[in-house]
Amino acid sequence: MAPQRPNLLPKDRFALAFGSLKTQSYYDPIARAPGSHTIRTIGWNPMGQLIATGSADRTLRIWNPERPSARYSTELRGHSAGVEKVLFNPVRDAELASCSTDGTVRFWDVRSKTCVSRLDVGGEPFTMSWSADGKSMIVGRKLTSLQQDDTLVPIDVEFPNTPNVTSEGAPVTQSATTKDGGSTYKALEGRPQNIQTNATTFTHHVRTPESPNLHFFTTTGDGNVRYMSYPSFDIDHTVKAHTSACLSIQLAPNGRYLAIGGSDALISLWDTTDFFCHRTLSSEVGGAIRNLSWSFDGRYICGACDEAGCGGNGLDIFHAETGETVYTVPTGGGINTGIPDVAWHPSRYWLAYSITADGPGSANSGGLRVVGAAGGGL
């Protein structure tokens, strides 16, 4: 059964309550090359019963947060290069998507532990976002020195007996149906961008017959954020968010704030009603904000920085309404420690994060950690 939702923690009680939680460590038994097993991406399933992690050495693993031993986890095999992003379908608890620099997006059934579909989207896909109804995805391909290709690839997901008409008329470049007659995945024609895209996120809107189109945000390398329509990809609004590249973005669960992380070491919080920046957040150690995560109640937020030294002094948790640092999670890392990703549990005050190893012989061996999983938590 899924954990029950806790009472909401006010700011003045957060440090005491969250600081009393224990941290559980999870170590993958597979290390294909020294130093290569850095967990780049973390994703909870909608019920919060499973955690998926993807690593630089192509390892994709599903963990039971309450059983940290690797023998209770499952390795999903198929990718031939590093896994850049993992995301569970927001409305289908056992469906996981992963993208890799091997040029593929793969869909998995974590119950049967199998890859049910594979789409070859080309290039080096490194970022993904899923619409709130689970029927659309956007995959971003990386701009590389060998391939000047900064492209967003839309993917339509059709559930069994549920026609998907969101991208009617759009050219289909590739489609695949699961072997068991389940969902159908269609990679549509890619949409080249005129500037580097680093991350995307859909709004919380669920389409209806009266309102069939969606909207999403995309961050750019020039410090802007674009508010775009889906499936047309028309730009409806542009926000000048940071003085340098915007790297990460996430909408609060309550929809009030849009959080944007930049290479300027800042997290900016924008009111979604008027696109006005209410405040900026920053840690003393600085470093580019590669990933973001909101707590389930939209009250607290933290950012991940994978640069050496960003995680040595801990992981800061901010209060969204005041911008205050309400708690710093002690990571136990040294001067070379980075935090590639961070992810709050979907309904509890549990916080998962990955940490890079300090090097050979270090007491910090990296891996996945979850604050709150040991002993029940909040």
Side-chain angles (χ1 to χ4, degrees):
M1 298 293 291
Q4 294 182 351
R5 176 166 293 192
N7 293 326
L8 302 183
L9 279 177
K11 177 175 67 72
D12 57 356
R13 290 184 50 214
F14 186 87
L16 179 62
F18 194 81
S20 67
L21 302 180
K22 297 180 180 179
T23 300
Q24 184 68 67
S25 298
Y26 308 74
Y27 299 109
D28 199 306
I30 298 175
R32 293 184 170 91
S36 68
H37 194 73
T38 297
I39 293 176
R40 291 176 172 169
T41 176
I42 305 169
W44 292 91
N45 73 338
M47 295 295 290
Q49 298 165 318
L50 300 172
I51 311 175
T53 58
S55 303
D57 65 353
R58 74 178 185 269
T59 302
L60 174 59
R61 188 168 291 279
I62 308 298
W63 300 89
N64 178 341
E66 297 182 356
R67 293 190 169 189
S69 174
R71 69 175 180 269
Y72 297 112
S73 69
T74 300
E75 184 186 5
L76 302 178
R77 299 181 181 181
H79 285 299
S80 59
V83 179
E84 297 290 331
K85 189 74 173 178
V86 293
L87 282 177
F88 278 94
N89 188 317
V91 297
R92 293 165 72 86
D93 209 55
E95 182 178 22
L96 175 73
S98 61
C99 70
S100 163
T101 50
D102 63 10
T104 69
V105 176
R106 295 172 186 257
F107 297 89
W108 310 82
D109 185 332
V110 299
R111 297 164 302 185
S112 62
K113 307 174 185 178
T114 57
C115 177
V116 296
S117 185
R118 161 184 164 164
L119 295 178
D120 294 298
V121 297
E124 295 187 6
F126 75 105
T127 185
M128 297 185 301
S129 58
W130 216 318
S131 63
D133 60 8
K135 295 182 180 180
S136 297
M137 293 188 73
I138 295 176
V139 176
R141 294 202 304 234
K142 187 180 298 184
L143 183 67
T144 67
S145 58
L146 298 178
Q147 187 176 16
Q148 299 301 309
D149 175 31
D150 192 59
T151 300
L152 297 178
V153 180
I155 295 176
D156 274 359
V157 183
E158 183 177 333
F159 300 154
N161 303 318
T162 307
N164 190 339
V165 296
T166 59
S167 298
E168 185 175 359
V172 177
T173 59
Q174 184 184 175
S175 65
T177 304
T178 58
K179 297 177 181 179
D180 60 359
S183 301
T184 298
Y185 308 88
K186 299 178 181 179
L188 308 179
E189 184 178 29
R191 302 299 184 101
Q193 303 299 297
N194 60 5
I195 194 167
Q196 176 183 337
T197 298
N198 293 312
T200 63
T201 188
F202 279 92
T203 66
H204 297 329
H205 170 72
V206 176
R207 73 200 92 197
T208 64
E210 296 75 22
S211 180
N213 295 327
L214 301 176
H215 286 87
F216 68 97
F217 298 94
T218 176
T219 64
T220 65
D222 61 359
N224 291 333
V225 169
R226 294 172 174 175
Y227 180 63
M228 304 176 72
S229 296
Y230 185 94
S232 70
F233 281 73
D234 293 336
I235 300 174
D236 294 340
H237 187 65
T238 299
V239 178
K240 182 62 179 178
H242 287 249
T243 57
S244 59
C246 295
L247 303 177
S248 53
I249 189 166
Q250 191 173 82
L251 189 62
N254 57 17
R256 177 169 184 182
Y257 290 120
L258 180 71
I260 303 168
S263 60
D264 54 7
L266 295 176
I267 300 172
S268 57
L269 299 184
W270 299 76
D271 192 308
T272 55
T273 59
D274 55 12
F275 290 111
F276 177 77
C277 182
H278 277 226
R279 61 190 58 87
T280 59
L281 317 172
S282 63
S283 299
E284 292 184 2
V285 294
I289 309 299
R290 296 286 179 183
N291 289 291
L292 293 165
S293 185
W294 288 93
S295 61
F296 70 91
D297 54 3
R299 296 187 178 196
Y300 306 101
I301 187 172
C302 51
C305 170
D306 59 1
E307 297 174 13
C310 283
N313 293 326
L315 174 61
D316 289 336
I317 299 175
F318 301 98
H319 183 242
E321 289 298 333
T322 63
E324 297 177 40
T325 301
V326 292
Y327 187 71
T328 299
V329 179
T331 63
I335 59 174
N336 294 319
T337 300
I339 300 176
D341 202 5
V342 61
W344 283 97
H345 188 282
S347 61
R348 301 193 69 162
Y349 292 112
W350 291 8
L351 182 63
Y353 66 94
S354 58
I355 186 169
T356 58
D358 286 333
S362 170
N364 168 32
S365 56
L368 172 69
R369 299 180 183 180
V370 181
V371 182
L378 299 173

